[in-house]
Amino acid sequence: MTATVPPAPSENPIPDPAGRVELPPGAVLTDARFVNDDLLPVPLARRRWTTYNFTALWVGMAHNIPSWLLASGLVALGMDWKQAVFTIALANVIVLAPMLLTGHAGPKYGIPFPVLARASFGLRGANLPAMIRAAVACAWFGIQTWIGGQGIFVLLGKLFGGWAEASEVGGQPWTLWICFVLFWALELAIIYRGMEALRRFENWAAPFVIVGALVLLVWVANKAGGFGPLLDQPSQLGWGADFWPVFFPSLMGMIAFWSTLSLNIPDFTRFGAGQRAQVWGQTLGLPTTMTLFALLSVFVTSGSQAVYGAAVWDPVELAAKTDNVFGLLFALVTVLVATISVNIAANVVSPAYDLANLAPKFITFRTGALITGVVGVVIMPWKLTETPELYIFTWLGLVGGLLGTVAGILIADYWVVRRTRLDLADLYTPGGRYWYTSGWNVHAVVAFVIGGVLAVGGSHSAPGKGPFPEDGLIPFLKPLADYGWAVGLAASLVVYVALTAGSRRRV
């Protein structure tokens, strides 16, 4: 099958006063290798997400158990609470920049991430970054679902008793497996209803989770009669020579936490009413929410230290200490809503589109979501979370380096090479300007390889603490390993621009 499009590229876009573009009337795109209803540009009439919708999306995604635990990880490395919150805040301000840059194509053209990647990688080559992003999302989906299932298990065990003593299956109580499976099914049921259902869910989930976090703060502050000694604990690192070797790898790790979304944010912004909605929505939603959540985490944990004599960083473990049935039920619902909110938005939407891009004829958005759910179980997330060195340092370091490399290419192509001008029809048309060499843009592949090697080639592990050699995979690149995301982004951007300089393939 072939795509039928208007002949003149200059006539393809139909702009509106807000600068948004859609396919012209009568454009027929029928090549099933690259087109299905979920990948086509969102019509202007359906681009109606507002600033509040994007803010609510980020509030809903940021308020989750792993986000709450970020500050504890930094404090464990020797930072005081002020250094930890500063590191988290700075990381989210930095990652906001590529988020806004890649998100620009969403409201303007109504296209998801894998279709945007076709402009730089080629119609077939786009599957390379899409599958990397999908693999990361599937793993995160499984991890978040396991963490959410554990939270439900703990709180239900407190309500009914005896759950933790149930007979074991596969090394875990069978009651924990039940919580995991039910939580998994609930997530997929919501996303299976589509993006509009997700928007409505996020709209009310965001304020609900904020209220839940504040209730936890008020409760622990009331029990503590003030906050504990955690706020007075000095930094073990200071602000001198001992601090910076810990700060920069930690900063890259915090950036890597949301670096996934800096790629596929067009999956959401494609529904935006305009650039103002996505820019303000993301700016108000991401760095502010993550900083506030880090502060709440520190204050609540400080109060727990005053009450129980030891810092309780896990909000589920802390909530389980109450004997009030209503309080336990409220905590249970809050954990459910918070984890579902982040998981379906951050870790199901992207692979659903990415898998649809791989085989549009056979995989729809809903089918991709179901595949994500299955893969998220097959990877056995309970194993990934057993080893902190593997889960936090190795996992986030590699993810950040590779995704930063892809982000650099997308930003270079869309902003530097093309000046934000795309031909919508050709993004779906074999033989068009984005076909390159048999559907692959060699320049993008070369930039990805160079940026990726520089970003993760120096990956190293302490003896017995990880899978890499102590001196690094490529020893002379070891000094770059702690800056993987930034190195990958900068290197791939520069290489791609250099390779495409003077190219006649510009739109």
Side-chain angles (χ1 to χ4, degrees):
M1 302 176 70
T2 58
T4 303
V5 298
S10 61
E11 297 174 4
N12 280 349
I14 296 184
D16 73 342
R20 299 176 301 170
V21 179
E22 67 178 350
L23 288 171
V28 180
L29 303 170
T30 58
D31 193 316
R33 296 174 299 168
F34 305 105
V35 179
N36 68 20
D37 290 342
D38 296 310
L39 297 177
L40 284 172
V42 176
L44 292 183
R46 288 176 48 210
R47 299 182 206 173
R48 53 176 181 261
W49 284 35
T50 64
T51 297
Y52 176 78
N53 294 140
F54 287 112
T55 302
L57 175 73
W58 274 112
V59 171
M61 288 197 294
H63 287 171
N64 60 83
I65 297 172
S67 289
W68 185 278
L69 295 174
L70 287 180
S72 67
L74 297 180
V75 170
L77 292 175
M79 295 185 184
D80 62 20
W81 72 271
K82 295 184 290 295
Q83 291 172 328
V85 172
F86 167 73
T87 303
I88 292 169
L90 179 60
N92 284 280
V93 169
I94 292 172
V95 82
L96 178 65
M99 203 84 69
L100 296 178
L101 290 174
T102 54
H104 184 277
K108 183 170 184 178
Y109 295 103
I111 53 176
F113 155 64
V115 175
L116 172 62
R118 292 175 181 179
S120 51
F121 282 84
L123 268 69
R124 287 174 172 160
N127 286 315
L128 172 62
M131 287 301 98
I132 292 173
R133 176 64 183 97
V136 171
C138 288
W140 271 119
F141 173 78
I143 290 170
Q144 288 273 16
T145 302
W146 181 250
I147 291 173
Q150 284 180 315
I152 296 168
F153 170 76
V154 169
L155 294 174
L156 286 179
K158 179 72 175 181
L159 277 172
F160 300 113
W163 278 50
E165 289 74 38
S167 58
E168 292 190 355
V169 176
Q172 302 290 351
W174 67 265
T175 45
L176 175 54
W177 291 116
I178 291 294
C179 292
F180 172 66
V181 171
L182 290 177
F183 188 62
W184 173 86
L186 179 59
E187 291 176 311
L188 292 185
I190 293 174
I191 195 60
Y192 193 76
R193 296 177 62 87
M195 290 294 290
E196 185 61 20
L198 173 62
R199 182 180 70 89
R200 292 195 298 267
F201 178 80
E202 296 289 353
N203 280 349
W204 69 263
F208 182 87
V209 174
I210 290 176
V211 170
L214 292 175
V215 167
L216 188 60
L217 176 64
V218 171
W219 171 69
V220 76
N222 182 62
K223 289 182 69 70
F227 294 110
L230 180 69
L231 296 182
D232 298 324
Q233 180 180 327
S235 170
Q236 299 176 28
L237 305 171
W239 288 94
D242 292 334
F243 174 70
W244 302 111
V246 175
F247 169 75
F248 286 110
S250 299
L251 182 68
M252 292 300 108
M254 297 303 103
I255 289 173
F257 194 81
W258 287 124
S259 64
T260 51
L261 268 294
S262 68
L263 292 186
N264 76 284
I265 195 64
D267 293 343
F268 302 97
T269 60
R270 67 190 299 226
F271 298 96
Q275 296 300 337
R276 181 182 179 88
Q278 74 102 2
V279 169
W280 279 105
Q282 294 202 79
T283 303
L284 294 173
L286 173 57
T288 55
T289 299
M290 287 296 291
T291 303
L292 174 63
F293 213 48
L295 283 169
L296 282 173
S297 170
V298 168
F299 291 147
V300 169
T301 304
S302 181
S304 74
Q305 188 176 28
V307 175
Y308 302 107
V312 182
W313 285 97
D314 189 336
V316 174
E317 181 184 346
L318 181 59
K321 290 183 177 293
T322 182
D323 293 321
N324 183 286
V325 174
F326 174 79
L328 283 169
L329 287 173
F330 181 78
L332 177 63
V333 174
T334 302
V335 168
L336 270 169
V337 172
T339 309
I340 289 175
S341 180
V342 63
N343 218 15
I344 60 178
N347 301 319
V348 180
V349 172
S350 175
Y353 282 124
D354 297 336
L355 291 166
N357 188 71
L358 183 65
K361 184 177 181 179
F362 304 103
I363 303 176
T364 64
F365 177 84
R366 288 178 170 84
T367 307
L370 294 178
I371 294 173
T372 300
V374 172
V375 174
V377 174
V378 170
I379 63 166
M380 296 187 291
W382 48 92
K383 295 291 186 182
L384 283 178
T385 56
E386 281 181 354
T387 308
E389 290 80 15
L390 177 64
Y391 170 45
I392 297 174
F393 299 105
T394 302
W395 172 250
L396 287 181
L398 284 174
V399 166
L402 292 177
L403 296 185
T405 300
V406 175
I409 295 170
L410 294 184
I411 292 170
D413 183 79
Y414 183 70
W415 285 95
V416 181
V417 175
R418 304 188 187 281
R419 303 289 198 269
T420 76
R421 294 181 62 246
L422 298 175
D423 185 301
L424 268 181
D426 272 9
L427 287 171
Y428 302 87
T429 308
R433 68 189 64 208
Y434 309 119
W435 188 242
Y436 300 105
T437 304
S438 301
W440 288 81
N441 182 4
V442 177
H443 292 164
V445 175
V446 171
F448 174 78
V449 171
I450 293 175
V453 169
L454 292 175
V456 305
S459 297
H460 56 91
S461 304
K465 295 293 185 179
F468 300 118
E470 183 178 0
D471 294 330
L473 289 171
I474 304 175
F476 74 90
L477 294 179
K478 183 179 178 180
L480 301 180
D482 291 338
Y483 314 94
W485 180 83
V487 169
L489 188 147
S492 63
L493 189 152
V494 170
V495 171
Y496 185 83
V497 171
L499 290 175
T500 55
S503 172
R504 296 180 180 179
R505 293 187 180 276
R506 298 183 185 185
V507 174

